[in-house]
Amino acid sequence: MKKLITLVFVSVLGGAITLGTYKTFLEKEKSQIAQQTTIEQPSFLPTNLNTTKTALAAAENIDFTTAADKTVHAVVHVKNVAITTAQPTLQDLFYGRVPQRRQLGTGSGVIISPDGYIITNNHVIEDSEQLSVTLNDNQTLEATIVGTDPNTDIALLKVETEEDLPYVTFGDSDTAKIGEWVLAIGNPFNLTSTVTAGIISAKSRDLSGKNIQSFIQTDAAVNPGNSGGALVNTKGDLIGINTAISSQTGSYIGYSFAVPSNIAKKVVQDIMEFGNVQRGLIGIVPRNLGTFTSEKLGINETEGVYIEEVEEDSGAENAGLKVGDIIKEIDGLKISKESDLRGYLNSKRPNDIIHVKALRGNNLIEKKVKLLKNNRYILPFIGEIKDAKPNDLKKFKVENGVKITKVNGTYKDYLRSEGIKEGNIITAINNRNVNSVDDVKSVIENRDPYKPLSIEIINSKGEKTRYGLR
């Protein structure tokens, strides 16, 4: 019994000592830590509160709803029924038949006028047999093709309606800035009236590798079906027509590309006014610069467009631009590479005047260049031709013809061996006298492709020779 009482006493005593130690030392230390934390905490508050100038807060303060509401009703769903060639069966091959089938394609379009003009991509409506558009209110209308431009992948449609339609106004794509917020509106995967947001990632982007394109690059999500849809700024102004994505899967993985609105606007205006696209040429052979190219050319500049060749009788030659000049600016727009130059010129017409700043040696020169109409044409089998001047014709004692500017076609080696070279005159094609490049185009477009092309050429000796080329 005594042992039990002793054991209980010792246990109680030990617990009392433990509790006393905790109260005296440990709890005091914990209180100090909590107090210390409380004192330090306010020092973090100013940093947390001053976030209005951060990128995140900038995005949160932008109102996308106004732009979306202004544009979503003006973007339509385009449906294209096209006739395509199907895989032939053994029976088709036996009877020599070419099987065809109907294929439905879909995309987007943007209403640009209240009377029903709609802009879209050429590849959306290509080979169409039946074309319709569905408005945001689910109304479906038949559409007709007004005109197309495969070079820029732009097409213009028209629908007939008794009511004015909601439409989007064109913005100035040249003033759009990298980092600016944009919205992409379209119908991806047949999901109508879809709006996504992103920023402009780059401008004057060329996907071909040939410096013939000048896209606006964004990180707004664009997928199949978005083609032909609107890219708008936060004001709701149209700054681009969504056209392509860069993807290994065919779906969005990070970047999309749009035709700048200044180019698209010019294309549709030309189609409406002239029936085709009018392109003003500056008349140079441009070359991009970079460390390797600049070292090879013996120059210090790595930005700008180097003039490698000035074409005869061109706006550039008439203005006094020379080989070796480096174009740095046009109409106040910085020119860093050839796609900058191409993109800007694609928004211009023949007879437009542009102000060019170029570096000649160590001096910055300024020239006014009048853009001229493209009077050059690639003639199959021969090469490049252009309209002939009276002096060109007088030299060979002929009254009509077009001038060969480059012998680089399929039969270039054979023709050169025959004495045909640059400067010679083509007087007739398929027994029809030609006086201009337009005449040549007309003959080529209406020829029977299964028959040889008969071309009459005056060579350097003034001899008239006729060639049958197939």
Side-chain angles (χ1 to χ4, degrees):
M1 187 65 178
K2 287 183 177 181
K3 290 183 177 180
L4 180 60
I5 293 172
T6 303
L7 181 62
V8 173
F9 176 77
V10 171
S11 299
V12 172
L13 181 62
I17 294 172
T18 302
L19 181 60
T21 303
Y22 174 80
K23 288 286 187 179
T24 304
F25 300 103
L26 297 182
E27 188 173 59
K28 182 179 180 181
E29 183 179 355
K30 181 179 180 181
S31 177
Q32 289 175 344
I33 293 174
Q35 186 179 7
Q36 184 179 7
T37 303
T38 303
I39 292 173
E40 289 185 356
Q41 189 174 359
S43 66
F44 292 97
L45 291 178
T47 305
N48 293 335
L49 292 176
N50 289 341
T51 57
T52 56
K53 295 183 180 180
T54 65
L56 178 60
E60 292 174 346
N61 290 336
I62 291 177
D63 183 8
F64 295 105
T65 59
T66 301
D69 186 61
K70 284 177 62 176
T71 55
V72 71
H73 304 290
V75 176
V76 301
H77 195 187
V78 180
K79 295 181 180 179
N80 167 24
V81 178
I83 302 298
T84 60
T85 302
Q87 186 71 28
T89 64
L90 290 175
Q91 193 174 22
D92 291 328
L93 294 174
F94 180 79
Y95 287 103
R97 298 181 304 205
V98 180
Q100 294 181 325
R101 61 185 175 90
R102 290 173 177 264
Q103 183 173 347
L104 176 65
T106 62
S108 304
V110 185
I111 304 173
I112 57 173
S113 69
D115 56 345
Y117 281 99
I118 297 171
I119 188 172
T120 185
N121 283 141
N122 178 66
H123 75 261
V124 170
I125 54 88
E126 198 169 18
D127 300 324
S128 65
E129 184 184 64
Q130 183 180 348
L131 203 59
S132 65
V133 299
T134 301
L135 308 182
N136 198 47
D137 62 2
N138 296 323
Q139 182 183 180
T140 298
L141 303 171
E142 290 187 5
T144 57
I145 299 174
V146 180
T148 64
D149 181 40
N151 289 328
T152 55
D153 200 8
I154 292 295
L156 183 64
L157 312 180
K158 182 71 166 63
V159 296
E160 299 300 332
T161 176
E162 296 179 357
E163 299 179 356
D164 285 349
L165 298 177
Y167 63 97
V168 177
T169 57
F170 283 98
D172 185 355
S173 55
D174 286 341
T175 62
K177 299 183 182 299
I178 295 174
E180 179 180 342
W181 282 97
V182 288
L183 297 180
I185 303 100
N187 306 282
F189 305 119
N190 290 322
L191 300 172
T192 59
S193 306
T194 297
V195 179
T196 56
I199 62 169
I200 296 177
S201 306
K203 296 178 65 178
S204 303
R205 186 70 83 193
D206 175 45
L207 303 181
S208 69
K210 300 177 181 178
N211 296 305
I212 59 175
Q213 299 171 331
S214 187
F215 288 121
I216 295 174
Q217 178 183 325
T218 81
D219 65 354
V222 169
N223 284 289
N226 270 110
S227 290
L231 185 73
V232 302
N233 58 23
T234 54
K235 298 177 183 177
D237 297 329
L238 184 69
I239 62 167
I241 299 298
N242 296 316
T243 299
I245 56 178
S246 180
S247 170
Q248 296 177 342
T249 64
S251 297
Y252 174 77
I253 57 171
Y255 294 110
S256 54
F257 302 88
V259 177
S261 61
N262 286 4
I263 295 177
K265 180 181 179 180
K266 185 257 182 184
V267 168
V268 298
Q269 286 178 338
D270 282 356
I271 290 174
M272 294 172 70
E273 185 175 350
F274 305 104
N276 54 42
V277 179
Q278 306 287 304
R279 289 188 168 85
L281 299 184
I282 188 172
I284 64 170
V285 175
R287 185 173 183 178
N288 279 326
L289 293 177
T291 300
F292 176 79
T293 303
S294 298
E295 288 179 354
K296 187 177 180 181
L297 294 172
I299 57 180
N300 296 323
E301 295 293 318
T302 57
E303 281 191 320
V305 173
Y306 181 84
I307 298 179
E308 197 165 50
E309 181 180 331
V310 177
E311 296 177 359
E312 182 185 15
D313 301 323
S314 65
E317 183 183 63
N318 296 336
L321 290 174
K322 298 181 179 179
V323 173
D325 291 347
I326 301 172
I327 297 177
K328 306 291 286 186
E329 189 178 295
I330 297 181
D331 291 342
L333 182 70
K334 182 180 178 182
I335 303 298
S336 298
K337 52 189 181 299
E338 187 178 342
S339 55
D340 292 330
L341 175 68
R342 298 275 188 186
Y344 188 74
L345 293 180
N346 281 343
S347 66
K348 297 298 179 182
R349 292 190 178 92
N351 298 320
D352 282 350
I353 305 293
I354 61 173
H355 295 78
V356 177
K357 288 185 179 180
L359 199 61
R360 179 176 293 172
N362 295 322
N363 300 318
L364 190 65
I365 62 172
E366 297 187 30
K367 299 290 184 181
K368 291 183 180 180
V369 181
K370 182 179 181 180
L371 303 180
L372 302 181
K373 183 180 178 181
N374 182 14
N375 68 341
R376 295 173 185 265
Y377 178 69
I378 303 300
L379 179 61
F381 313 125
I382 301 293
E384 186 181 82
I385 61 172
K386 62 174 289 187
D387 291 343
K389 287 186 170 184
N391 287 340
D392 298 324
L393 301 178
K394 185 177 180 180
K395 177 181 177 182
F396 292 95
K397 299 179 180 179
V398 293
E399 296 182 353
N400 70 281
V402 293
K403 183 179 179 179
I404 300 175
T405 55
K406 290 182 181 178
V407 181
N408 56 5
T410 310
Y411 291 94
K412 63 180 180 180
D413 293 334
Y414 168 72
L415 292 172
R416 288 187 184 279
S417 68
E418 287 282 301
I420 305 300
K421 61 182 183 179
E422 287 77 7
N424 291 169
I425 301 296
I426 296 174
T427 55
I429 300 178
N430 284 354
N431 299 316
R432 175 181 164 183
N433 288 344
V434 292
N435 295 282
S436 66
V437 166
D438 289 338
D439 289 343
V440 175
K441 288 181 181 178
S442 178
V443 174
I444 297 300
E445 289 171 359
N446 294 291
R447 66 181 283 255
D448 185 343
Y450 298 102
K451 293 183 178 180
L453 194 66
S454 174
I455 300 180
E456 185 178 272
I457 303 178
I458 308 297
N459 64 21
S460 302
K461 297 179 181 179
E463 301 168 339
K464 181 183 294 185
T465 308
R466 189 183 298 271
Y467 298 92
L469 304 176
R470 185 187 294 275

